[in-house]
Amino acid sequence: VLFRSLLPCLLLYTASGFDAPLQLLGVNMSWALTVGQAALLLICLSLAAAILQCCVCIFLAEWTKNSVAAMSIPVGFLLFSSLLHIPEQYRVLSQIWEYLPSNLVSFRGAFSNRMVPFFGGFLKAWEAAPLCYLVFSILCVCMGYRLYARLPDRKRIRQGKV
């Protein structure tokens, strides 16, 4: 995935601009990153968001027992979240909304100046969101496995009674 998304960029623009400061791309960017580092961060955030979406689909497939619902609910939420914008005057709600996978993988969402307090320190958006994605992915997988193991046919198969 990394080479499929990075290779066309390297072929079109070459790697000569990857060492340019990020402040040249966006006004009021306060992070000391280069363009290449920002591109790699966005690719890693996209991979983390894809893993979260897969885990949510696994849970929904077991919960609804329907593959169409398991795919249509995340796609509908993706479309809905890309159309809706919550203003920054609602601080907590808009920050949570920015950390959704569809909003965070954009340049504006990943490199926003809003930070999250974490054990006495502060995390940037690209540091806090993957931690949240990891926790939610583990929760979805665990809840999906509990639903999977609860079915009577699968218990009999595990015990060898079929």
Side-chain angles (χ1 to χ4, degrees):
V1 172
L2 178 66
F3 293 114
R4 281 183 56 187
S5 57
L6 193 60
L7 188 62
C9 183
L10 288 174
L11 290 175
L12 287 173
Y13 304 112
T14 70
S16 62
F18 274 22
D19 58 345
L22 187 63
Q23 287 83 5
L24 295 176
L25 289 179
V27 181
N28 296 330
M29 289 289 172
S30 60
W31 310 120
L33 294 172
T34 64
V35 173
Q37 291 170 337
L40 289 176
L41 277 172
L42 285 175
I43 290 170
C44 291
L45 285 174
S46 298
L47 288 173
I51 290 170
L52 175 66
Q53 292 285 342
C54 290
C55 293
V56 167
C57 287
I58 288 170
F59 169 70
L60 289 174
E62 283 300 319
W63 186 45
T64 61
K65 307 290 186 255
N66 188 349
S67 61
V68 174
M71 289 307 297
S72 62
I73 292 172
V75 168
F77 187 74
L78 177 73
L79 292 173
F80 176 72
S81 66
S82 65
L83 295 175
L84 184 68
H85 176 70
I86 296 177
E88 289 189 11
Q89 67 189 22
Y90 306 110
R91 293 190 181 275
V92 175
L93 186 61
S94 70
Q95 192 165 7
I96 290 171
W97 192 256
E98 279 184 7
Y99 289 169
L100 292 177
S102 60
N103 298 334
L104 188 73
V105 296
S106 68
F107 186 78
R108 184 185 62 81
F111 300 110
S112 67
N113 291 328
R114 300 167 74 181
M115 301 182 81
V116 177
F118 185 73
F119 291 115
F122 290 96
L123 295 177
K124 302 166 196 74
W126 71 78
E127 295 171 340
L131 290 176
C132 294
Y133 291 176
L134 177 67
V135 169
F136 287 131
S137 297
I138 291 171
L139 282 174
C140 285
V141 168
C142 290
M143 289 188 309
Y145 178 74
R146 290 196 65 184
L147 289 172
Y148 175 80
R150 194 178 287 171
L151 293 175
D153 293 337
R154 295 193 179 118
K155 285 182 182 177
R156 285 187 275 141
I157 290 171
R158 273 192 278 146
Q159 294 172 355
K161 294 181 180 178
V162 174

